[in-house]
Amino acid sequence: MNKTLRDFISSLEGNYKIKVTCLTATSIYVATLIITFFVGHEGATKYNFLVCIIGFVLGWFVGIIISPYDGDEEKKFTNYSKLIGTFISGYIVSKIDKFWDNIISNNAFSDSLFISRIIFFLIFFCVTLIVVFAFRRYIIIKT
């Protein structure tokens, strides 16, 4: 076993914050994935999973951005955040109006499958963000 993995495992000993976070997150992930089987028609499950994966990946990304390990990473992340903020405020905000009009005109909020997928996304996004934040904040690996 290499030194980094040994340091990581030893940092988990007695760290109840990480243990509780992992246990809770795993429970929420499993429960949500089980629920995805029962929401929508037979072919909807693969899209439900896709929404969960997108929420997971974006939660991971945002979790890393908001919890830098040190000052050097914080400087880099500040620059990345500015770049992402510029992109969001420019391109995405200009397109959101058409997207929103399409959702409203199709009565998407009255569709239970659409609402369920928003909830799946938010669950995976928020739980992953919390897990990544907790690991980056409370696990210190000395290299």
Side-chain angles (χ1 to χ4, degrees):
M1 188 171 3
N2 66 22
K3 183 181 181 310
T4 306
L5 183 58
R6 255 182 292 157
D7 289 344
F8 173 73
I9 292 171
S10 68
S11 68
L12 290 177
E13 293 173 10
N15 196 335
Y16 72 91
K17 292 175 185 176
I18 294 298
K19 290 177 182 177
V20 169
T21 300
C22 288
L23 181 63
T24 304
T26 302
S27 301
I28 292 170
Y29 286 145
V30 169
T32 304
L33 288 174
I34 290 171
I35 292 169
T36 62
F37 282 108
F38 302 106
V39 174
H41 52 85
E42 188 176 314
T45 303
K46 60 185 171 191
Y47 296 111
N48 294 343
F49 280 152
L50 181 62
V51 167
C52 292
I53 290 169
I54 292 169
F56 181 88
V57 170
L58 287 176
W60 192 348
F61 177 74
V62 173
I64 288 173
I65 293 292
I66 67 169
S67 56
Y69 277 130
D70 54 24
D72 185 43
E73 231 181 43
E74 188 171 356
K75 288 177 189 174
K76 290 178 185 176
F77 288 174
T78 301
N79 292 336
Y80 297 151
S81 297
K82 288 178 185 176
L83 181 66
I84 292 167
T86 302
F87 174 73
I88 289 173
S89 66
Y91 181 75
I92 292 183
V93 170
S94 71
K95 302 296 180 189
I96 198 88
D97 188 38
K98 293 176 188 173
F99 176 73
W100 186 253
D101 288 342
N102 191 18
I103 288 175
I104 296 299
S105 67
N106 291 332
N107 274 341
F109 288 112
S110 63
D111 181 14
S112 63
L113 182 59
F114 180 76
I115 299 296
S116 299
R117 287 181 177 158
I118 288 174
I119 293 169
F120 294 154
F121 173 83
L122 289 174
I123 288 170
F124 269 76
F125 177 83
C126 292
V127 170
T128 305
L129 188 138
I130 290 166
V131 169
V132 170
F133 180 84
F135 266 82
R136 291 178 65 85
R137 187 62 53 165
Y138 298 117
I139 298 286
I140 304 298
I141 299 174
K142 295 172 178 64
T143 55

